[in-house]
């Protein structure tokens, strides 16, 4: 990528969705508007003030000569022009003229702000994934409405909240994918006029958020190749090194030294060698899984593998100090809990840690959690990989993945559907909390409950907000980030019980995971149990039905 910035010549073209950040090419936005464009002011201010970096407004087009949005843009130095529809001109022909004007200004993305015309199908196809519109409701609710009629419909429906939505434009009106959405409660005694004023105040920040997502490639936008102007030759500089490119070999070596003792402490019978080799070697026989008896197929040894991550729990954990160790346990649990449902004994685990700039302390803390999880599960941390990738991750961001391998004799493989019968007991083992699934929904529920100050709410006592039993000293953040329960020891404790099947309740909850362990002719009958306080709080925060606990476990 550093070298790509040097490759510039007349006529060169590049993929806008890949090379923009490499070549520092700004996202060029074309505005279509027919009204005052009040909500556009936030975009103009953000672009001028640097808070919406690498985004420039290329032009503003209006179908009305007296539209105040033209004057607003002209004052900000944005080229503004009226493009009136000719008498009798059909929608497709007018759309072609609008496209020609946008392309003349080198527009990447179209932003509709109070645009009072319906696009032709051809225009929608030409700008598919690159045309944004702001609608004054929480789509898909009240799609198709305009201005005050939308707010009147919100009041008539008795909606508890309203807001605005920035969405991609498609052939179907107000049916494109949502890029940004902001909600507010409907105040008592509200009128269509007061709701309009309240929602309009949300539209500007929502447009800024949506453009930032498109700029960063997080909104599904795709850009056609476009020319890159030739730049002055880059003078020869000193030879590049790994350190100059943002990769620290020394930090990587220091990390290995830090985590070697952690890995060594998890060694079990069968581990060969030590951390730092090209591959991790494991002797199955020493772990009790020697060759099966000749002619006894049931005695054959089978390997069971699993891989997983911790999802967007990472994002919430990055706001809390000391949470990385718990994420390490989560990582082991999400993999090991899957493979133990087959009856397998976990043998060894490998982790993968990717970041933009390696923070040795933070990574070592997470690996310490991985080692804890391995020790609790009776398996070895036999190796891993740390990838430092400057430019791919924002400062402080990282991602993790885990890989677990276990073994089981063929006769012991679960589930055993042929042996299951009506009347068999179904045993439920409680979770330690939300575990590491569903955090995209959890974070949205938290955002709604926090009213814009997530950090303050996360720091409150969980019992005080109804998310834990009385006397629980944890904060809400600590309750949400509680490490996933490891079930390997649970399965081991049931060694003397005839277990016919097991299910790990993760994404999809009971309704999707439990049937995976049952034969087609049987169904599970689950008794009722009290909903834990944390799930009660989440159910209230998300404003939904009582099925939250069956959706996420």
């Amino acid at each position: 990528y550093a070298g790509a910035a040097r490759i510039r010549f007349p006529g060169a073209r590049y993929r806008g969705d890949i090379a923009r950040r490499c070549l520092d090419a700004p996202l060029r936005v074309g505005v279509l508007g027919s009204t005052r464009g009040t909500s556009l002011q936030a975009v103009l201010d953000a672009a001028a003030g640097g808070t919406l970096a690498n985004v420039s407004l290329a032009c503003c087009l209006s179908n009305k000569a007296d539209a105040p949005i033209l004057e607003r843009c002209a004052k900000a130095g944005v080229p503004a022009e009226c493009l009136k529809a000719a008498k009798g001109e059909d929608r497709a022909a007018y759309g072609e003229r609008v496209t020609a004007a946008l392309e003349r200004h080198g527009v990447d993305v179209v932003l509709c702000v109070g645009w009072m015309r319906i696009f032709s199908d051809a225009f929608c196809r030409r700008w598919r994934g690159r045309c944004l519109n702001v609608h004054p409701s929480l789509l898909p609710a009240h799609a198709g409405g305009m201005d005050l009629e939308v707010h009147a419909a919100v009041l008539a429906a008795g909606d508890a909240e309203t807001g605005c939505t920035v969405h991609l434009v498609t052939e179907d009106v107000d049916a494109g994918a949502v890029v940004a959405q902001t909600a507010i409660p409907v105040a008592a005694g509200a009128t269509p006029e007061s709701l309009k004023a309240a929602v309009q105040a949300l539209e500007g920040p929502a447009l800024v958020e949506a453009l930032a997502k498109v700029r960063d490639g997080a909104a599904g936008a795709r850009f056609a190749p476009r020319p890159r102007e030739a730049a002055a030759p880059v003078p020869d500089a000193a030879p590049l090194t790994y350190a100059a490119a943002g990769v620290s070999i020394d930090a990587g070596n220091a990390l290995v030294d830090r985590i070697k003792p952690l890995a060594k402490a998890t060694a079990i019978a069968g581990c060969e060698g030590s951390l730092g080799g090209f591959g991790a070697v494991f002797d199955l026989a020493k772990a009790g899984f020697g060759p099966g008896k000749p002619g006894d197929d049931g005695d054959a040894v089978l390997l069971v593998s699993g891989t997983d991550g911790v999802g967007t729990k990472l994002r919430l954990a990055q706001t809390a100090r000391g949470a990385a160790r718990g994420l390490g346990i989560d990582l082991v649990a999400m993999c090991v809990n899957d493979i133990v449902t087959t009856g397998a004994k976990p043998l060894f685990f490998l982790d993968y840690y990717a970041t933009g700039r390696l923070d040795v302390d933070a990574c070592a803390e997470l690996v310490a959690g991985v080692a804890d999880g391995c020790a609790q599960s009776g398996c070895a941390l036999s190796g891993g990989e740390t990838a430092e990738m400057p430019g791919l991750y924002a400062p402080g961001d990282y991602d993790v993945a885990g890989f677990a391998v276990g073994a089981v004799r063929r006769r012991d493989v679960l589930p055993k559907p042929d042996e299951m019968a009506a009347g068999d007991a179904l045993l439920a083992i409680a979770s330690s909390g939300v575990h590491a699934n569903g955090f995209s929904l959890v974070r949205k529920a938290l955002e709604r409950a926090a009213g814009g100050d997530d950090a303050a709410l996360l720091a409150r006592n969980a019992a005080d907000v109804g998310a834990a039993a009385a006397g629980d000293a944890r904060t809400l953040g600590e309750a949400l980030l509680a490490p996933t329960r490891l079930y390997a020891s649970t399965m081991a404790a049931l060694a003397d019980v005839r277990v016919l099947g097991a299910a790990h309740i993760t994404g999809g909850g009971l309704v999707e995971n439990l049937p995976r362990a049952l034969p087609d002719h049987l169904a599970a009958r689950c008794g009722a149990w009290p909903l834990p306080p944390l799930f009660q709080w989440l159910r209230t925060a998300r404003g939904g039905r009582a099925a939250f606990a069956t959706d996420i476990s």
Side-chain angles (χ1 to χ4, degrees):
Y1 279 94
R6 303 168 66 97
I7 307 172
R8 302 184 182 184
F9 53 88
R13 306 180 77 86
Y14 66 89
R15 279 276 300 280
D17 55 330
I18 294 176
R20 172 171 288 103
R21 280 174 284 178
C22 169
L23 299 180
D24 297 322
L27 179 71
R28 295 178 60 83
V29 179
V31 178
L32 300 181
S34 308
T35 58
R36 291 190 299 273
T38 305
S39 56
L40 181 64
Q41 192 61 49
V43 176
L44 293 169
D45 293 342
T51 55
L52 190 58
N54 223 23
V55 173
S56 67
L57 273 70
C59 67
C60 176
L61 308 178
S62 179
N63 61 324
K64 295 183 178 181
D66 59 350
I69 194 172
L70 291 175
E71 182 180 359
R72 183 186 298 275
C73 286
K75 284 183 177 179
V78 178
E81 61 181 277
C82 174
L83 200 65
K84 294 187 67 173
K87 186 176 181 179
E89 185 175 24
D90 64 27
R91 193 178 294 168
Y94 180 69
E96 289 177 3
R97 288 205 293 128
V98 172
T99 289
L102 293 169
E103 291 181 339
R104 186 173 70 251
H105 287 282
V107 168
D108 294 316
V109 173
V110 179
L111 185 64
C112 302
V113 183
W115 181 246
M116 306 302 286
R117 287 186 62 90
I118 297 176
F119 293 119
S120 67
D121 287 355
F123 183 92
C124 293
R125 288 192 294 270
R126 172 64 183 81
W127 295 95
R128 185 178 303 280
R130 299 189 293 134
C131 185
L132 302 172
N133 180 55
V134 60
H135 189 271
S137 78
L138 298 177
L139 293 177
H142 311 297
M146 297 180 68
D147 201 30
L148 287 175
E149 69 180 62
V150 174
H151 306 298
V154 169
L155 295 173
D159 294 347
E161 60 181 9
T162 186
C164 69
T165 303
V166 182
H167 64 95
L168 294 175
V169 173
T170 63
E171 292 89 336
D172 297 323
V173 177
D174 297 334
V178 172
V179 179
Q181 193 170 67
T182 306
I184 55 171
V186 175
T191 65
E193 290 76 13
S194 67
L195 278 187
K196 177 180 178 179
V199 170
Q200 269 191 341
L202 306 175
E203 291 179 356
L207 289 173
V208 173
E209 178 188 349
L211 288 174
K213 287 182 175 180
V214 172
R215 175 199 63 196
D216 297 338
R222 295 293 180 266
F223 300 94
R226 64 180 179 87
R228 171 70 180 183
E229 295 179 0
V234 180
D236 290 335
L240 286 173
T241 64
Y242 259 128
V247 178
S248 174
I249 300 296
D250 291 340
N253 292 334
L255 176 64
V256 172
D257 290 341
R258 287 272 296 274
I259 64 179
K260 270 186 176 179
L262 301 175
K264 185 176 181 180
T266 67
I268 63 173
C271 288
E272 302 282 340
S274 61
L275 203 65
F278 288 106
V281 179
F282 194 91
D283 188 329
L284 283 172
K286 290 181 180 178
F289 290 95
K293 299 173 183 177
D296 186 351
D297 188 53
D299 203 42
V301 176
L302 306 179
L303 295 180
V304 182
S305 62
T307 183
D308 211 334
V310 297
T312 57
K313 189 174 185 178
L314 269 170
R315 181 62 69 200
L316 186 60
Q318 286 169 355
T319 67
R321 289 183 176 274
R325 194 178 189 103
L327 287 179
I329 296 175
D330 286 320
L331 187 62
V332 176
M334 297 310 293
C335 301
V336 168
N337 286 351
D338 275 348
I339 68 172
V340 298
T341 65
T342 67
K345 170 183 169 51
L347 297 178
F348 56 89
F349 184 88
L350 300 98
D351 64 78
Y352 176 82
Y353 182 99
T355 185
R357 185 177 182 84
L358 181 60
D359 181 331
V360 174
D361 291 336
C363 185
E365 182 186 358
L366 185 134
V367 175
V370 171
D372 283 350
C374 288
Q376 293 179 49
S377 301
C379 65
L381 175 55
S382 60
E385 171 68 9
T386 302
E388 194 171 15
M389 297 182 278
L392 190 59
Y393 292 89
D397 281 359
Y398 60 88
D399 197 8
V400 292
F403 312 87
V405 175
V408 60
R409 300 284 179 182
R410 186 183 296 277
R411 68 167 66 89
D412 298 322
V413 171
L414 299 178
K416 299 182 180 298
D418 294 341
E419 298 181 32
M420 295 182 186
D424 286 347
L426 181 64
L427 179 64
I429 309 297
S431 72
S432 57
V434 186
H435 283 183
N437 282 101
F439 269 84
S440 295
L441 178 58
V442 169
R443 288 168 51 237
K444 279 294 184 182
L446 178 67
E447 181 181 303
R448 177 179 293 185
D453 194 350
D454 293 11
L457 181 56
L458 287 169
R460 292 191 60 187
N461 177 262
D464 290 347
V465 298
D472 193 324
R474 295 179 300 168
T475 64
L476 177 60
E478 290 168 340
L480 288 170
L481 292 170
T484 303
R485 180 169 182 167
L486 291 148
Y487 293 104
S489 59
T490 305
M491 294 296 288
L494 295 172
D496 295 331
V497 177
R498 182 62 172 166
V499 176
L500 302 179
H504 183 202
I505 310 304
T506 55
L510 292 167
V511 294
E512 291 190 17
N513 288 286
L514 192 49
R516 296 164 65 183
L518 299 175
D520 292 340
H521 69 284
L522 293 177
R525 180 177 296 167
C526 300
W529 60 86
L531 195 62
L534 180 60
F535 286 90
Q536 292 179 23
W537 181 86
L538 285 167
R539 183 180 67 190
T540 302
R542 78 187 274 259
R545 56 193 174 84
F548 191 100
T550 66
D551 294 337
I552 301 174
S553 297

